[in-house]
Structure formats: C-alpha cells, structure tokens
Amino acid sequence: TMVITSTMPRAVASVYGLASSHEQTSALNPIDKGALGAGWWDVECHGDAPPWDELENRHAAFFREWQKDPFRTRFPGGESYMDVVK
C-alpha cells in the first residue's frame, strides 16, 4: 500500500512501519500563517475551522485583501495558498 504524507515529522512517523511504501509531499503541509500563526491563531484557536470572524476583527486590512483573492493573498510573513500548491 502506498501512503502519501506531509513532510511533517509526526505525519512521517505515523506511517513508519505500517505502509509498504510512502511518499512525502510539502503540498500536504499546513500553510505557514507567518506572524498570524506565531501569535493568537495557533495559541488561542482550537478546532478544524479557521477563525475567520476573529481574523477579520484583529487584522481587518489583511482580511479585506484575503477576501478579494484568498488564493494569492500571502499571510503577513508567511505563505499564500498559491505558494503551497506550487
């Protein structure tokens, strides 16, 4: 069985010894949210859904740009979704 994982060590470790072969791809890694991820987002937010309401309250200018083009708008100091899929 072929298993594809992110390059995150925890993902690779979880398939070690279980799959006959595995491949790693950075396309499955979480997006780098830059300054936003280093702060409140990763610390205060729990659950699977991104905290869009809170993002709009705390970073209104970024949120407006992100709404115009969510695929190409880069998180401050981080990546855009376009960066991830390249």
Side-chain angles (χ1 to χ4, degrees):
T1 302
M2 166 63 95
V3 176
I4 301 173
T5 70
S6 73
T7 61
M8 303 292 289
R10 66 179 183 249
V12 175
S14 68
V15 301
Y16 184 76
L18 297 176
S20 57
S21 64
H22 81 275
E23 182 179 320
Q24 299 176 37
T25 176
S26 61
L28 295 176
N29 291 353
I31 191 167
D32 179 355
K33 295 180 293 293
L36 302 184
W40 64 272
W41 188 318
D42 288 344
V43 175
E44 298 174 25
C45 300
H46 306 287
D48 294 331
W52 300 125
D53 291 342
E54 190 65 23
L55 181 62
E56 183 176 17
N57 291 335
R58 293 185 186 213
H59 303 279
F62 166 76
F63 187 77
R64 283 191 301 274
E65 291 302 311
W66 183 85
Q67 282 187 308
K68 291 177 193 172
D69 191 355
F71 198 62
R72 289 185 178 80
T73 300
R74 188 168 279 113
F75 283 86
E79 299 175 299
S80 69
Y81 288 101
M82 178 66 102
D83 294 333
V84 174
V85 298
K86 283 186 177 181

